[in-house]
């Protein structure tokens, strides 16, 4: 029995209006300070909250009362915002 011929398929090229632009590939990597700052904010936020709870709400700033929670969680949210821009 004869062997069937193998058809060569053409290489698919997407239409020009669907192709990604070259600018996405040329984006620069993040600066070194960005992940360092993000990790520092995470550690500072967790540290702030731990000190607040272990000191029975006397430290870091006693007059802020429950706003100390906002400072700790705010630092962690700020670090997440920074990490979302990390490449």
């Amino acid at each position: 029995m004869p062997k069937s011929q193998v058809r060569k398929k053409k290489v698919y090229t997407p239409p020009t209006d669907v192709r990604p632009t070259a600018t996405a590939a040329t984006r620069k990597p993040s600066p070194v300070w960005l992940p360092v700052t993000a990790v520092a904010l995470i550690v500072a936020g967790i540290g702030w909250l731990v000190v607040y709870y272990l000191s029975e709400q006397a430290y870091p700033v006693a007059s802020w009362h429950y706003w100390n929670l906002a400072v700790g969680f705010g630092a962690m949210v700020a670090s997440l915002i920074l990490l979302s821009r990390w490449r």
Side-chain angles (χ1 to χ4, degrees), residues 6-10:
V6 177
R7 292 185 290 163
K8 293 183 181 179
K9 295 182 179 181
K10 294 181 180 181

Side-chain angles (χ1 to χ4, degrees), residues 3-60:
K3 187 177 178 184
S4 63
Q5 293 181 344
V6 177
R7 292 185 290 163
K8 293 183 181 179
K9 295 182 179 181
K10 294 181 180 181
V11 177
Y12 174 74
T13 54
T16 56
D17 58 338
V18 179
R19 271 189 230 161
T21 59
T23 58
T26 60
R27 295 176 109 175
K28 294 180 182 178
S30 299
V32 175
W33 63 265
L34 195 135
V36 172
T37 306
V39 170
L41 279 171
I42 289 174
V43 170
I46 292 172
W48 190 282
L49 293 174
V50 167
V51 168
Y52 178 68
Y53 277 114
L54 291 180
S55 69
E56 296 178 358
Q57 298 147 1
Y59 295 106

Side-chain angles (χ1 to χ4, degrees), residues 10 15 19 31 35 39 41 48 61-62 71 75 80-81 84-85 87:
K10 294 181 180 181
R19 271 189 230 161
V39 170
L41 279 171
W48 190 282
V61 182
V71 171
L80 289 175
I81 292 169
S84 71
R85 300 190 177 272
R87 268 182 283 254

